[in-house]
Amino acid sequence: MAQLLKAAKPQLRDFNPQALANTVWALATFGYYDGAFVAKLLKEAKPQLRDFNPQALANTAWALATLGRYDGAFVAALLKAAKLQLRDSKPQELAIMAWALAKVQHYDGAFMAALVKEAMPRLRDFTSQALTNTAWALAALDHANNAFMAALLQQAAGVVPSFEAQQLNQLFMCELWLKDQHSDVAVPSQLAAACKEAWMEERHNPKSSDVQRQVLAVVRELPGCSDAISEQATDDGLFNIDIAVQLPDGSRLAVEVDGPSHFLNFPPDRLVGAALLRNRLLESRGWRVESAPVMTGWLPHARLGEQVARDYLTSLGVGRIS
């Protein structure tokens, strides 16, 4: 793949919109990320975005989100082009666009309002995956539209058997988000029951990873954190906190041990939408949340319990209790 990209890179200037979209889509499909190549591709694609059709725009957005690449200026330009073609977009393309924006946490309220307006009369044509992606995207982007969400959940309630466990989990997070908003949108009972069952099944037997235990050992060395415990359930029993600390001032600290999948490839310190939604839901349950990124090069420090690991966690706010 590296040799293929090396040969293709100088020819990107000659790629038409379809070729550019297909190329970045192929990279995402294969799970191959080359930052320099993607940067060059985006440079060539940006002035041509007005000539991308709806499928190419959706595929490009999906590919960048899947690759974990965020370029705010490029996404803004892509949305400008996509907004003009929402009426011609298929339901799947609308859902993909919403999901991609939520994954990289790029919020454009006007675009989301336009997308929701276009999707509303076509919800009956959304697949279970498209319904899930769209509902989850609104929650992850914190974009409230009660009428749309009520209609979407009603549509979803009619196809409950078609949802996979992961999709039901995403819909459950959406339900929790609605409750935290004090929304008057009610999730249909059959759908709500299926979502909660899937959610609780996944959390029935929580297990700590080796990395989580290593981070726990380091956290316990920090001031006021000696009683830190792993896999603490929230008061409502709906979440298991990676590392929970009861601080002397009475506040509660949740340390989430976040590996590479919780962050974008670029910029590397940007949490993905799922992690940020999780954090917001934990905060609404009375926890201060700190993310402890466990990346390449950190693990040996955690294992050895060296001062650098303590300094690292303290810099994230884990040991700041005064």
Side-chain angles (χ1 to χ4, degrees), residues 278-293:
R278 172 207 65 195
N279 289 356
R280 293 206 307 271
L281 293 173
L282 287 176
E283 287 166 357
S284 72
R285 282 157 178 76
W287 293 84
R288 188 185 112 213
V289 183
E290 296 289 351
S291 176

Side-chain angles (χ1 to χ4, degrees), residues 298-314:
W298 192 91
L299 181 56
H301 299 314
R303 185 179 297 116
L304 297 173
E306 295 179 359
Q307 183 64 43
V308 65
R310 293 192 292 273
D311 291 346
Y312 181 63
L313 282 165
T314 301

Side-chain angles (χ1 to χ4, degrees), residues 54-56 58 88-98 115:
Q55 182 182 30
D88 298 322
S89 299
K90 297 176 182 177
Q92 183 71 6
E93 292 159 357
L94 296 172
I96 286 173
M97 189 68 73
L115 185 149

Side-chain angles (χ1 to χ4, degrees), residues 23 58-60 84 88 140 149-150 169 206 218 272 300:
T23 300
N59 284 350
T60 300
L84 299 175
D88 298 322
M149 188 61 73
N169 278 324
V218 176
V272 299

